Amino acid sequence: MLSEGSSFMKGMALGGIFCLLLSLLGSFTPGMQSSPEDQHHHHHHIKAPTNDELQSLSEPQMLELSQKVRVYCVIMVQPKVLVYWATAKDTWGKHCDQAVFYSSESAKALEAVDLNEQDEWAKLHKALKHAYDNSGDLRWFFVARPTTFAIIENLKYLVLAKDPNEPFYIGHTMKSGELEYVEYESGIVLSYEALRRLVNVFKDGEKCPERGRSLWKLSEEKQLAMCLKYTGVFAENGEDTQGKGLFNSKSVGSLIEDGMSKNSLDVVEGCCSDLAITFSGMSPNQMQVMMFGVYRLRPYGHNFHDSLIFLPPEGSDND
Amino acid sequence: MRHSFPTFQLDPREGLFCNGVQVTLVVWFERTFSTRSQPDGLEKTAAQLRELEEDSKNWKKERSALFNLNHPHHKGEDSHMADELYKKVRILCWVMTGPNNLQKKARHVKNTWSRHCNVVVFMSSVDDPDFPTVGLGTKEGRDQLYWKTIRAFHYALENHGDEADWFLKADDDTYVVVDNLRWVLANHTPEEPIYFGRRFKPYTKQGYMSGGAGYVLSKEALKRFVDGFKTKVCTHTTHVEDLAMGQCMEKVGVVAGDARDTNLRETFHPFVPEQHLTSKFPKSFWYWSYCYYPISEGPNCCSDLSVSFHYVDASLMYLLEYYTYHLRAFGYRYRYQPPAPLGYKNEAWDRSEGGHSYSKEQPAIPRGPLARVESPSRTDRKPVVMPPAAAGEKDPPAAAQDDKQ
């Protein structure tokens, strides 16, 4: 009797250990060492400066900030889907201080940096290195695919009072086990310092290999987060004063429809931030409509006296 | 003697299996029951109550009309100009709908753009005191459109003639930016016999206004319309509502106005923004031969201060409200700087407090290369960020800046 009971207990114990193993594997990331930063790391949120903060700045300070906040856009294209490349170029790309297209392979119709690479992480790796080497005096980097639409002025507002010589890695943060990373689909923001540290750790093939390990391949967004984590840079969630996320991986249409299906009182209030930075998954035509909606359509007689003025880009007629 | 408890063979595999079942059960239980907080039925009633409460703060329901108590304002915005126009250019919006469309369409109009009107009346064939809708005593259907229109305008003058200066007709799939309508109308008076909309040219001398894109009559125009039916100068000529309207307007001496902005871009639109901005209508399409003014495709199709769009479904209503009143680019200086309506600029300044640092409304700046802005705003403390160089330009930013100084 007892021996039978003890077999059962052995079985339970084995099962318990098995379950434990399974849950550990779920959060297991290869090569990760628990570091002191992990223990101190809590949810980080980034918000734009408040009106009071901006009003307290002197004019030369404001001028300095406005000159610092210039954005280099890293747009990762694929020749297969030309129309999105063309749309990004004709719409939001014009609002980047510099928009550079990085392609997996060369294409006659595209003016892009040919990375000659199919592996997603290797592409990102190379593009970021190229961006760092060619950034000139631009200090903020925005990485996206052309299926994402970005309102660059709102990005500038978000990081306006942040020093790009400090490491920043901002977007819509997600968590995978212990790793907090910025979702690629809704755009990734890197400060100059973060990119500098990243390019540095690229040299370490152990910590940050150019090609994902074949056995345990991480998605490129997680790989990026890991490499940055090694350099002490952590993902931070971009949100507005009300805590609404500024980076959206869904299209504005589907976010509106979510609100409608929830039968919420005010579908528009509940949907998205007024100063949203990105939306993703919109068609090229819908992106043209968004250009009109953001940069042109407005109700007469309502003015926002923002502390900074961004002028429209040259040679453009849809904004 | 045998033990009292049953003897059965136990082995490690069964132990493992037990564990697995336990875990599965716990997970399933948590998933199913932790997300449900209240039974669905109760939740809905609570939401309905909240909605009624919200509604009563913003609307006064009286005589089947909704009187605006609290038109929407935005946090952090300076809306003194819009508020001024709201008081001076009073608009009664009447929305053509029907009993089958109240929940499908009219409800979304009620939740969005109609909140910016001074008075809203939903016109139907049937009275509905809850929505509320006015019953016009007609049937439903395309052949009833002009009858409904005639009765609706008569109803509006009779019941609300003193409560508004302008009378807008819209469909339940028309989206209207009422603040922009006020801008168009502000340079006119309700005593002028005039009406505005998307002007079409055929069948009439002075043209007529597209029904779906919405049109608005001055009080004088409305009076003449009603008089016209009294004196039989106007009759129910055809069920094609917009054309019939145009024919009557012409007969009673009401002018077909030009609603285009100072850049000659159209403000009332017979289709959705996507079609006007991105479609290339085939040359055989009726649209080309109907439009009174030359058609522009692409971005020039539509004014920044667009007033209306048509064939707008429920989700597009909310999306347009979001684009118009919510989503914006921080600090962006619009290319089109519309002139303030005559007589408004000075008043606005008198009312504002001293020591402001915002820039005055400027006359429309010509399009093309960035024009230098001579204005008091140069002296205020706001730094202006130079625009990115045009695509393909290799000049360093410094050179571009020198040009613009």
Side-chain angles (χ1 to χ4, degrees), chain B residues 137-208:
Chain B
T138 62
K139 291 184 281 220
E140 287 294 326
R142 284 190 72 82
D143 60 331
Q144 298 294 305
L145 284 177
Y146 194 41
W147 279 121
K148 285 172 89 173
T149 305
I150 296 166
R151 293 199 182 179
F153 274 121
H154 276 72
Y155 179 94
L157 184 62
E158 209 170 309
N159 292 279
H160 303 284
D162 296 326
E163 285 147 5
D165 307 306
W166 298 85
F167 300 81
L168 168 80
K169 177 259 171 181
D171 285 345
D172 53 18
D173 61 352
T174 309
Y175 182 87
V176 181
V177 185
V178 186
D179 286 307
N180 291 343
L181 179 56
R182 291 195 179 97
W183 179 77
V184 171
L185 299 176
N187 278 329
H188 297 269
T189 68
E191 290 77 36
E192 276 177 64
I194 195 166
Y195 76 126
F196 293 97
R198 170 59 86 110
R199 208 164 163 189
F200 283 164
K201 66 180 176 217
Y203 313 121
T204 49
K205 260 186 271 163
Q206 64 163 3
Y208 66 95

Coordinates of all heavy atoms in Angstrom, one line a residue, chain B residues 137-208:
Chain B
G137 N -45.5 62.8 -41.8 CA -46.8 62.4 -42.4 C -46.6 61.9 -43.9 O -47.6 61.9 -44.6
T138 N -45.5 61.5 -44.3 CA -45.3 61.0 -45.6 C -45.0 59.5 -45.5 O -45.0 58.9 -44.4 CB -44.0 61.6 -46.3 OG1 -42.9 61.3 -45.5 CG2 -44.1 63.1 -46.4
K139 N -44.8 58.9 -46.6 CA -44.3 57.5 -46.6 C -42.8 57.5 -46.7 O -42.2 58.6 -46.7 CB -44.9 56.7 -47.8 CG -46.4 56.5 -47.6 CD -47.0 55.6 -48.7 CE -47.2 56.5 -50.0 NZ -48.4 56.2 -50.7
E140 N -42.1 56.4 -46.7 CA -40.7 56.3 -47.0 C -40.4 56.0 -48.4 O -41.3 55.5 -49.1 CB -40.0 55.3 -46.0 CG -40.0 55.8 -44.6 CD -39.0 57.0 -44.4 OE1 -38.0 57.1 -45.0 OE2 -39.4 57.8 -43.5
G141 N -39.2 56.2 -48.9 CA -38.8 55.8 -50.2 C -38.3 57.0 -51.0 O -38.5 58.2 -50.7
R142 N -37.6 56.7 -52.1 CA -36.9 57.7 -52.9 C -37.9 58.7 -53.5 O -37.7 59.9 -53.7 CB -36.2 57.1 -54.1 CG -34.8 56.4 -53.7 CD -34.0 56.0 -54.9 NE -33.5 57.2 -55.6 CZ -32.4 57.8 -55.2 NH1 -31.7 57.4 -54.2 NH2 -32.0 58.9 -55.9
D143 N -39.1 58.2 -53.8 CA -40.1 59.1 -54.5 C -40.8 60.0 -53.5 O -41.5 60.9 -53.8 CB -41.2 58.2 -55.2 CG -41.9 57.3 -54.2 OD1 -41.3 56.9 -53.2 OD2 -43.1 57.0 -54.4
Q144 N -40.4 59.9 -52.2 CA -41.0 60.7 -51.2 C -40.0 61.8 -50.8 O -40.4 62.7 -50.0 CB -41.3 59.9 -49.9 CG -42.3 58.8 -50.1 CD -43.7 59.4 -50.4 OE1 -44.2 60.2 -49.7 NE2 -44.3 59.0 -51.6
L145 N -38.8 61.8 -51.3 CA -37.8 62.7 -50.9 C -38.1 64.2 -51.0 O -37.9 64.9 -50.0 CB -36.5 62.5 -51.7 CG -35.7 61.2 -51.3 CD1 -34.5 61.1 -52.2 CD2 -35.2 61.3 -49.9
Y146 N -38.7 64.6 -52.1 CA -39.1 66.0 -52.2 C -40.2 66.4 -51.3 O -40.2 67.4 -50.7 CB -39.3 66.4 -53.6 CG -39.3 67.9 -53.8 CD1 -38.4 68.7 -53.1 CD2 -40.2 68.6 -54.6 CE1 -38.3 70.1 -53.3 CE2 -40.2 70.0 -54.7 CZ -39.3 70.7 -54.1 OH -39.3 72.1 -54.2
W147 N -41.2 65.5 -51.1 CA -42.3 65.7 -50.2 C -41.7 65.9 -48.8 O -42.1 66.9 -48.1 CB -43.3 64.6 -50.2 CG -44.3 64.6 -51.3 CD1 -44.4 63.7 -52.3 CD2 -45.2 65.7 -51.6 NE1 -45.4 64.1 -53.2 CE2 -45.9 65.3 -52.8 CE3 -45.5 66.9 -51.1 CZ2 -46.8 66.1 -53.4 CZ3 -46.4 67.7 -51.6 CH2 -47.1 67.3 -52.8
K148 N -40.8 65.0 -48.4 CA -40.3 65.1 -47.1 C -39.5 66.5 -46.9 O -39.6 67.1 -45.9 CB -39.3 64.0 -46.8 CG -40.0 62.7 -46.5 CD -39.1 61.5 -46.4 CE -38.5 61.3 -45.0 NZ -37.7 60.1 -44.9
T149 N -38.8 66.8 -48.0 CA -38.0 68.1 -47.9 C -38.9 69.3 -47.8 O -38.7 70.1 -46.9 CB -37.1 68.2 -49.2 OG1 -36.3 67.0 -49.3 CG2 -36.2 69.4 -49.1
I150 N -40.0 69.3 -48.6 CA -40.9 70.4 -48.5 C -41.5 70.5 -47.1 O -41.5 71.6 -46.5 CB -42.1 70.2 -49.5 CG1 -41.5 70.2 -51.0 CG2 -43.1 71.3 -49.4 CD1 -42.5 69.7 -52.0
R151 N -42.0 69.4 -46.6 CA -42.6 69.5 -45.3 C -41.6 69.8 -44.2 O -41.9 70.5 -43.2 CB -43.3 68.1 -45.0 CG -44.4 67.9 -45.9 CD -45.4 66.9 -45.4 NE -46.5 66.7 -46.4 CZ -47.4 65.9 -46.2 NH1 -47.4 65.1 -45.1 NH2 -48.4 65.8 -47.1
A152 N -40.4 69.3 -44.3 CA -39.3 69.5 -43.3 C -39.0 71.0 -43.2 O -38.9 71.5 -42.1 CB -38.1 68.7 -43.6
F153 N -38.8 71.6 -44.4 CA -38.5 73.0 -44.3 C -39.7 73.9 -43.8 O -39.5 74.8 -43.0 CB -38.1 73.5 -45.7 CG -36.6 73.3 -46.0 CD1 -36.2 72.6 -47.1 CD2 -35.7 73.9 -45.2 CE1 -34.9 72.4 -47.4 CE2 -34.3 73.8 -45.5 CZ -33.9 73.0 -46.6
H154 N -40.9 73.5 -44.2 CA -42.1 74.2 -43.6 C -42.1 74.0 -42.1 O -42.3 75.0 -41.4 CB -43.4 73.6 -44.2 CG -43.7 74.2 -45.6 ND1 -43.0 73.9 -46.7 CD2 -44.7 75.1 -45.9 CE1 -43.5 74.6 -47.7 NE2 -44.5 75.3 -47.3
Y155 N -41.8 72.8 -41.6 CA -41.8 72.5 -40.2 C -40.8 73.4 -39.5 O -41.0 74.0 -38.5 CB -41.6 71.0 -40.0 CG -41.5 70.7 -38.5 CD1 -42.6 70.2 -37.8 CD2 -40.3 70.8 -37.8 CE1 -42.6 69.9 -36.5 CE2 -40.3 70.5 -36.4 CZ -41.4 70.0 -35.8 OH -41.4 69.7 -34.4
A156 N -39.6 73.5 -40.1 CA -38.5 74.2 -39.5 C -38.8 75.7 -39.3 O -38.6 76.3 -38.3 CB -37.2 74.0 -40.3
L157 N -39.4 76.3 -40.4 CA -39.7 77.7 -40.3 C -40.8 78.0 -39.3 O -40.7 78.9 -38.5 CB -40.1 78.2 -41.7 CG -40.4 79.7 -41.7 CD1 -39.1 80.5 -41.4 CD2 -40.9 80.2 -43.1
E158 N -41.8 77.1 -39.4 CA -43.0 77.3 -38.5 C -42.6 77.2 -37.0 O -43.0 77.9 -36.1 CB -44.0 76.2 -38.8 CG -45.4 76.7 -38.5 CD -46.4 75.6 -39.2 OE1 -46.2 75.3 -40.3 OE2 -47.2 75.1 -38.4
N159 N -41.8 76.1 -36.7 CA -41.5 75.8 -35.3 C -40.2 76.4 -34.7 O -40.1 76.6 -33.5 CB -41.4 74.3 -35.1 CG -42.8 73.6 -35.3 OD1 -43.6 73.6 -34.4 ND2 -43.0 73.1 -36.5
H160 N -39.3 76.7 -35.6 CA -38.0 77.1 -35.2 C -37.4 78.4 -35.9 O -36.3 78.7 -35.9 CB -37.0 76.0 -35.3 CG -37.3 74.8 -34.6 ND1 -37.2 74.7 -33.2 CD2 -37.9 73.6 -35.0 CE1 -37.7 73.5 -32.8 NE2 -38.1 72.8 -33.9
G161 N -38.3 79.1 -36.6 CA -37.9 80.2 -37.4 C -37.1 81.2 -36.7 O -36.2 81.9 -37.2
D162 N -37.5 81.4 -35.4 CA -36.8 82.5 -34.6 C -35.5 82.0 -33.9 O -34.8 82.7 -33.3 CB -37.7 83.0 -33.5 CG -38.9 83.7 -34.2 OD1 -38.7 84.3 -35.3 OD2 -40.0 83.7 -33.6
E163 N -35.3 80.6 -34.0 CA -34.2 80.1 -33.2 C -32.9 79.9 -34.0 O -31.9 79.4 -33.5 CB -34.6 78.8 -32.6 CG -35.6 79.0 -31.4 CD -36.6 77.9 -31.2 OE1 -36.6 76.9 -31.9 OE2 -37.5 78.1 -30.3
A164 N -33.0 80.2 -35.3 CA -31.8 80.0 -36.2 C -31.8 81.0 -37.3 O -32.8 81.7 -37.6 CB -31.8 78.6 -36.8
D165 N -30.6 81.2 -37.8 CA -30.4 82.1 -39.0 C -30.3 81.4 -40.3 O -30.6 81.9 -41.3 CB -29.1 83.0 -38.7 CG -29.1 83.6 -37.4 OD1 -30.1 84.4 -37.1 OD2 -28.2 83.5 -36.6
W166 N -29.8 80.2 -40.2 CA -29.5 79.4 -41.4 C -30.1 78.0 -41.2 O -30.1 77.5 -40.1 CB -28.0 79.3 -41.7 CG -27.4 80.6 -42.0 CD1 -27.0 81.5 -41.0 CD2 -27.2 81.2 -43.2 NE1 -26.5 82.6 -41.7 CE2 -26.6 82.5 -43.0 CE3 -27.5 80.8 -44.6 CZ2 -26.3 83.3 -44.1 CZ3 -27.1 81.7 -45.6 CH2 -26.5 82.9 -45.3
F167 N -30.6 77.4 -42.3 CA -31.3 76.1 -42.2 C -30.6 75.1 -43.1 O -30.7 75.2 -44.3 CB -32.7 76.3 -42.5 CG -33.4 77.3 -41.5 CD1 -33.3 78.6 -41.7 CD2 -34.1 76.8 -40.4 CE1 -33.8 79.5 -40.8 CE2 -34.6 77.7 -39.5 CZ -34.5 79.1 -39.7
L168 N -29.9 74.1 -42.5 CA -29.2 73.1 -43.2 C -30.0 71.8 -43.4 O -30.5 71.3 -42.4 CB -27.9 72.8 -42.5 CG -27.1 71.6 -43.0 CD1 -26.2 71.9 -44.2 CD2 -26.1 71.0 -41.9
K169 N -30.0 71.3 -44.6 CA -30.5 70.0 -44.9 C -29.4 69.0 -45.1 O -28.5 69.3 -45.8 CB -31.4 70.0 -46.1 CG -32.0 68.6 -46.4 CD -31.2 67.9 -47.6 CE -31.7 66.5 -47.7 NZ -30.9 65.8 -48.8
A170 N -29.4 67.9 -44.4 CA -28.4 66.8 -44.6 C -29.1 65.5 -44.6 O -30.2 65.3 -44.0 CB -27.3 66.9 -43.5
D171 N -28.4 64.5 -45.1 CA -28.9 63.1 -45.1 C -28.3 62.4 -43.8 O -27.4 63.0 -43.2 CB -28.5 62.3 -46.3 CG -29.3 62.7 -47.6 OD1 -30.4 63.4 -47.4 OD2 -28.9 62.4 -48.7
D172 N -28.8 61.2 -43.5 CA -28.2 60.6 -42.4 C -26.9 59.8 -42.8 O -26.4 59.1 -41.9 CB -29.3 59.6 -41.7 CG -29.9 58.6 -42.7 OD1 -29.3 58.4 -43.8 OD2 -30.9 58.0 -42.4
D173 N -26.5 60.0 -44.0 CA -25.1 59.6 -44.3 C -24.3 60.7 -44.9 O -23.4 60.5 -45.7 CB -25.2 58.4 -45.3 CG -25.9 58.8 -46.6 OD1 -26.4 59.9 -46.8 OD2 -25.8 57.9 -47.6
T174 N -24.6 61.9 -44.4 CA -23.8 63.1 -44.7 C -23.0 63.4 -43.4 O -23.6 63.4 -42.3 CB -24.7 64.3 -45.1 OG1 -25.6 63.9 -46.1 CG2 -23.8 65.5 -45.6
Y175 N -21.7 63.7 -43.6 CA -21.0 64.2 -42.4 C -20.7 65.7 -42.7 O -20.3 66.1 -43.7 CB -19.6 63.5 -42.3 CG -18.9 64.0 -41.0 CD1 -19.1 63.5 -39.8 CD2 -18.0 65.1 -41.1 CE1 -18.5 63.9 -38.7 CE2 -17.4 65.6 -40.0 CZ -17.6 65.0 -38.8 OH -17.0 65.5 -37.6
V176 N -21.1 66.5 -41.7 CA -20.9 68.0 -41.8 C -20.0 68.6 -40.8 O -20.1 68.3 -39.6 CB -22.3 68.7 -41.7 CG1 -22.2 70.2 -41.9 CG2 -23.3 68.1 -42.7
V177 N -19.0 69.4 -41.2 CA -18.2 70.1 -40.2 C -18.9 71.5 -40.0 O -18.6 72.4 -40.8 CB -16.8 70.3 -40.7 CG1 -15.9 70.9 -39.6 CG2 -16.2 69.0 -41.2
V178 N -19.7 71.5 -39.0 CA -20.6 72.7 -38.8 C -19.7 74.0 -38.6 O -20.1 75.1 -39.0 CB -21.5 72.5 -37.6 CG1 -22.5 73.6 -37.5 CG2 -22.3 71.1 -37.9
D179 N -18.6 73.9 -37.9 CA -17.8 75.1 -37.7 C -17.3 75.7 -39.0 O -17.2 76.9 -39.1 CB -16.5 74.7 -36.8 CG -16.9 74.5 -35.4 OD1 -17.6 75.4 -34.8 OD2 -16.6 73.4 -34.8
N180 N -17.0 74.8 -40.0 CA -16.6 75.3 -41.3 C -17.7 75.9 -42.0 O -17.6 76.9 -42.8 CB -15.9 74.2 -42.1 CG -14.5 73.9 -41.4 OD1 -14.0 74.6 -40.6 ND2 -14.0 72.7 -41.8
L181 N -18.9 75.4 -41.8 CA -20.1 75.9 -42.5 C -20.3 77.4 -41.9 O -20.6 78.3 -42.7 CB -21.3 75.0 -42.2 CG -22.7 75.5 -42.7 CD1 -22.6 75.7 -44.2 CD2 -23.8 74.5 -42.4
R182 N -20.1 77.6 -40.7 CA -20.2 78.9 -40.1 C -19.2 79.9 -40.7 O -19.6 81.0 -41.0 CB -20.1 78.9 -38.6 CG -21.2 78.2 -37.9 CD -21.2 78.5 -36.4 NE -22.3 77.8 -35.8 CZ -22.2 76.6 -35.2 NH1 -21.1 76.0 -35.0 NH2 -23.3 76.0 -34.7
W183 N -18.1 79.4 -41.0 CA -17.0 80.3 -41.7 C -17.5 80.7 -43.1 O -17.4 81.8 -43.4 CB -15.7 79.5 -41.7 CG -14.6 80.3 -42.4 CD1 -13.9 81.3 -41.9 CD2 -14.1 80.1 -43.8 NE1 -13.0 81.8 -42.8 CE2 -13.1 81.1 -44.0 CE3 -14.5 79.2 -44.8 CZ2 -12.4 81.2 -45.2 CZ3 -13.8 79.3 -46.0 CH2 -12.7 80.3 -46.2
V184 N -18.1 79.7 -43.8 CA -18.6 80.0 -45.2 C -19.7 81.0 -45.1 O -19.8 82.0 -45.9 CB -19.1 78.7 -45.9 CG1 -19.8 79.0 -47.2 CG2 -17.9 77.8 -46.1
L185 N -20.6 80.9 -44.1 CA -21.8 81.7 -44.0 C -21.5 83.1 -43.3 O -22.3 84.0 -43.5 CB -22.9 81.0 -43.2 CG -23.3 79.6 -43.8 CD1 -24.4 79.0 -42.9 CD2 -23.9 79.9 -45.2
A186 N -20.4 83.2 -42.6 CA -20.2 84.4 -41.8 C -20.1 85.6 -42.6 O -20.3 86.7 -42.0 CB -19.0 84.2 -40.9
N187 N -19.7 85.5 -43.8 CA -19.6 86.7 -44.6 C -20.9 87.1 -45.3 O -21.0 87.9 -46.2 CB -18.5 86.6 -45.7 CG -17.1 86.8 -45.1 OD1 -17.0 87.7 -44.2 ND2 -16.1 86.2 -45.6
H188 N -22.0 86.4 -44.9 CA -23.3 86.7 -45.5 C -24.3 86.9 -44.3 O -23.9 86.7 -43.2 CB -23.8 85.5 -46.3 CG -22.9 85.3 -47.5 ND1 -23.1 85.9 -48.7 CD2 -21.8 84.5 -47.6 CE1 -22.2 85.5 -49.6 NE2 -21.3 84.7 -48.9
T189 N -25.5 87.4 -44.7 CA -26.5 87.6 -43.6 C -27.7 86.8 -43.9 O -28.0 86.5 -45.0 CB -26.9 89.1 -43.5 OG1 -27.7 89.4 -44.7 CG2 -25.7 90.0 -43.4
P190 N -28.4 86.5 -42.8 CA -29.6 85.7 -43.0 C -30.7 86.4 -43.8 O -31.7 85.8 -44.2 CB -30.1 85.4 -41.6 CG -29.3 86.2 -40.7 CD -28.1 86.7 -41.4
E191 N -30.6 87.7 -44.0 CA -31.5 88.5 -44.8 C -31.3 88.4 -46.3 O -32.1 88.8 -47.1 CB -31.5 90.0 -44.4 CG -32.1 90.2 -43.0 CD -31.1 89.8 -41.9 OE1 -29.9 90.0 -42.1 OE2 -31.5 89.3 -40.8
E192 N -30.1 87.9 -46.7 CA -29.8 87.7 -48.1 C -30.6 86.5 -48.6 O -30.6 85.4 -47.9 CB -28.4 87.3 -48.3 CG -27.4 88.5 -48.4 CD -26.0 88.0 -48.5 OE1 -25.7 87.3 -49.5 OE2 -25.2 88.2 -47.5
P193 N -31.2 86.6 -49.8 CA -31.9 85.4 -50.3 C -30.8 84.5 -51.0 O -30.5 84.7 -52.2 CB -32.9 86.0 -51.3 CG -32.3 87.3 -51.7 CD -31.4 87.8 -50.6
I194 N -30.2 83.6 -50.3 CA -29.1 82.9 -50.9 C -29.0 81.5 -50.3 O -29.5 81.3 -49.1 CB -27.8 83.6 -50.6 CG1 -26.6 83.0 -51.5 CG2 -27.4 83.6 -49.1 CD1 -25.4 83.9 -51.6
Y195 N -28.5 80.5 -51.0 CA -28.3 79.2 -50.4 C -27.0 78.6 -50.9 O -26.5 79.0 -52.0 CB -29.5 78.3 -50.7 CG -29.7 77.6 -52.0 CD1 -29.8 76.3 -52.2 CD2 -29.8 78.4 -53.2 CE1 -30.0 75.7 -53.4 CE2 -30.0 77.8 -54.4 CZ -30.1 76.4 -54.5 OH -30.3 75.9 -55.7
F196 N -26.4 77.7 -50.2 CA -25.1 77.2 -50.5 C -25.1 75.7 -50.4 O -25.8 75.0 -49.7 CB -24.0 77.7 -49.4 CG -23.8 79.1 -49.5 CD1 -24.4 80.0 -48.6 CD2 -22.9 79.7 -50.4 CE1 -24.2 81.4 -48.7 CE2 -22.6 81.0 -50.5 CZ -23.3 81.9 -49.6
G197 N -24.2 75.1 -51.2 CA -24.0 73.6 -51.2 C -23.0 73.3 -52.3 O -22.2 74.1 -52.7
R198 N -23.0 72.0 -52.8 CA -22.1 71.7 -53.9 C -22.9 71.9 -55.2 O -23.9 71.2 -55.4 CB -21.7 70.2 -53.8 CG -21.0 69.7 -55.0 CD -19.8 70.4 -55.4 NE -18.6 69.9 -54.7 CZ -17.6 69.2 -55.3 NH1 -17.6 68.9 -56.6 NH2 -16.6 68.7 -54.6
R199 N -22.4 72.9 -55.9 CA -23.2 73.4 -57.0 C -23.1 72.5 -58.3 O -22.0 72.2 -58.7 CB -22.7 74.8 -57.4 CG -23.7 75.7 -58.0 CD -23.3 77.1 -57.9 NE -24.0 78.0 -58.9 CZ -23.7 79.2 -59.1 NH1 -22.7 79.8 -58.5 NH2 -24.4 79.9 -60.0
F200 N -24.3 72.1 -58.8 CA -24.3 71.3 -60.0 C -24.9 72.2 -61.1 O -25.7 73.1 -60.8 CB -25.3 70.1 -59.8 CG -24.6 69.0 -59.0 CD1 -25.4 68.0 -58.5 CD2 -23.2 68.8 -58.9 CE1 -24.9 66.9 -57.8 CE2 -22.7 67.8 -58.2 CZ -23.5 66.8 -57.7
K201 N -24.6 72.0 -62.4 CA -25.1 72.9 -63.4 C -26.2 72.5 -64.3 O -27.0 73.4 -64.7 CB -23.9 73.3 -64.3 CG -23.3 72.3 -65.1 CD -22.1 72.9 -66.0 CE -21.4 71.8 -66.7 NZ -20.0 72.0 -66.8
P202 N -26.5 71.2 -64.5 CA -27.5 70.9 -65.5 C -29.0 71.3 -65.1 O -29.2 71.5 -64.0 CB -27.4 69.4 -65.7 CG -26.6 68.9 -64.7 CD -25.9 70.0 -64.0
Y203 N -29.8 71.3 -66.1 CA -31.3 71.5 -66.0 C -31.7 72.9 -65.5 O -32.9 73.2 -65.5 CB -31.9 70.4 -65.1 CG -31.4 69.0 -65.4 CD1 -30.8 68.3 -64.4 CD2 -31.6 68.5 -66.6 CE1 -30.4 67.0 -64.7 CE2 -31.2 67.2 -66.9 CZ -30.6 66.4 -65.9 OH -30.1 65.2 -66.2
T204 N -30.8 73.7 -64.9 CA -31.2 75.0 -64.4 C -30.3 76.1 -64.9 O -29.2 75.8 -65.3 CB -31.1 74.9 -62.8 OG1 -29.9 74.4 -62.5 CG2 -32.2 74.1 -62.2
K205 N -30.8 77.3 -64.8 CA -29.9 78.4 -65.3 C -28.8 78.7 -64.3 O -27.6 78.8 -64.7 CB -30.8 79.7 -65.4 CG -31.2 80.0 -66.8 CD -31.8 81.3 -67.0 CE -33.3 81.1 -66.7 NZ -34.2 82.2 -66.4
Q206 N -29.1 78.8 -63.0 CA -28.0 79.2 -62.1 C -27.5 77.9 -61.4 O -26.6 78.1 -60.5 CB -28.6 80.2 -61.0 CG -29.7 79.6 -60.1 CD -29.9 80.5 -58.9 OE1 -29.3 81.5 -58.7 NE2 -30.8 80.0 -58.0
G207 N -27.9 76.8 -61.8 CA -27.4 75.6 -61.1 C -28.3 75.2 -59.9 O -29.2 76.0 -59.5
Y208 N -28.0 74.1 -59.3 CA -28.7 73.7 -58.1 C -27.7 72.9 -57.2 O -26.6 72.6 -57.6 CB -29.9 72.8 -58.4 CG -29.6 71.5 -59.0 CD1 -29.5 70.3 -58.2 CD2 -29.4 71.3 -60.4 CE1 -29.2 69.1 -58.8 CE2 -29.1 70.1 -61.0 CZ -29.0 69.0 -60.2 OH -28.7 67.8 -60.7

